[in-house]
Amino acid sequence: SGLVMLLPHGYEGQGPEHSSARLERFLQACGDGNMVVCNVTSPSNFFHLLRRQMAWNFRKPLIVMSPKSLLRHPACISPLTELETGTQFKPVISEEHTTAQAKKIKRLVFCSGKIYFDLVEYRSKNKVEGVSIIRLEQLYPLHKPQLDEIIASYPGAEKYWVQEEPGNMGAWVYINTKLPDYGFKVIARRISASPATGFKKLHDENQERIVREAMTLA
């Protein structure tokens, strides 16, 4: 089936059901290349993802986590040239650094989805240096060779998986199972029975803590 599902998923302080499309359950159901699961952070990459879905000579369901706030986020934009040039969908997006800059990177922060924009904003406002952010736009199937290449470019850098969801939800358990040799440390909301709190103040406090911890070097 070539079914495409766009599921609202993103922690915006609006309560449990608004926050979670149960990403972890889709990832638990993945195996033998039976579907594609993505959490895309740019309009151009989303465009090329849908184009790839139609151009493939086979059919697989596509599950897309779709944060509502990114529909109006001022930083979630793409130049028209990225849609026109025929660039392929990027399953992993890393920041480009020169060799000299790469040697100064002390921490690699891996994430997926809208939290990327919170991390970038905090890093810019607080002039944080030594942290590079890698976005996993496609969670399943994982493109491990590309991830291996990225990690090899930053020898000695500590590696963190950062997510908005509680530690027992979201992509963390899947990532830790699929990539145990990476030695990820995790920064997430505390393990919880509920996908999200219904209190905006507590949501904001937790979100700020996650981003601050991710951008604070030891």
Side-chain angles (χ1 to χ4, degrees), residues 24-204:
E24 63 277 2
R25 295 182 182 176
F26 284 100
L27 293 175
Q28 287 169 356
C30 289
D32 299 322
N34 62 333
M35 68 177 85
V36 178
V37 179
C38 295
N39 197 350
V40 186
T41 57
S42 79
S44 62
N45 216 29
F46 181 54
F47 169 76
H48 290 296
L49 173 64
L50 294 180
R51 193 179 71 156
R52 185 187 71 173
Q53 181 75 359
M54 295 303 298
W56 269 339
N57 60 2
F58 56 87
R59 290 287 172 259
K60 292 292 174 85
L62 170 61
I63 313 300
V64 183
M65 300 292 114
S66 307
K68 292 182 178 180
S69 65
L70 294 193
L71 294 172
R72 58 187 181 275
H73 198 293
C76 187
I77 57 176
S78 299
L80 286 175
T81 53
E82 290 187 5
L83 283 76
E84 296 172 339
T85 55
T87 303
Q88 294 183 350
F89 170 71
K90 300 175 182 177
V92 180
I93 301 178
S94 61
E95 297 176 325
E96 296 184 2
H97 299 285
T98 65
T99 302
Q101 291 171 333
K103 291 180 180 179
K104 297 179 181 179
I105 298 299
K106 298 180 180 178
R107 175 178 294 185
L108 297 178
V109 170
F110 292 78
C111 66
S112 187
K114 65 174 280 291
I115 196 170
Y116 164 75
F117 294 98
D118 295 335
L119 294 168
V120 169
E121 181 181 8
Y122 184 96
R123 184 177 62 179
S124 177
K125 284 185 177 179
N126 294 275
K127 296 180 172 58
V128 176
E129 297 181 350
V131 179
S132 186
I133 305 172
I134 296 94
R135 287 172 275 172
L136 272 66
E137 302 279 282
Q138 179 173 295
L139 290 162
Y140 185 84
L142 279 173
H143 281 244
K144 193 171 184 298
Q146 188 175 356
L147 293 172
D148 289 340
E149 183 179 346
I150 291 170
I151 288 177
S153 300
Y154 303 94
E158 56 183 358
K159 297 173 285 293
Y160 279 81
W161 175 261
V162 178
Q163 66 178 33
E164 300 178 305
E165 300 90 344
N168 57 324
M169 301 179 194
W172 165 236
V173 174
Y174 164 80
I175 289 293
N176 196 37
T177 301
K178 289 286 186 180
L179 306 171
D181 52 321
Y182 282 20
F184 280 131
K185 298 176 183 178
V186 63
I187 298 175
R189 281 176 166 78
R190 66 176 182 82
I191 290 175
S192 172
S194 173
T197 178
F199 297 98
K200 184 66 164 60
K201 182 179 179 182
L202 182 57
H203 161 83
D204 290 342

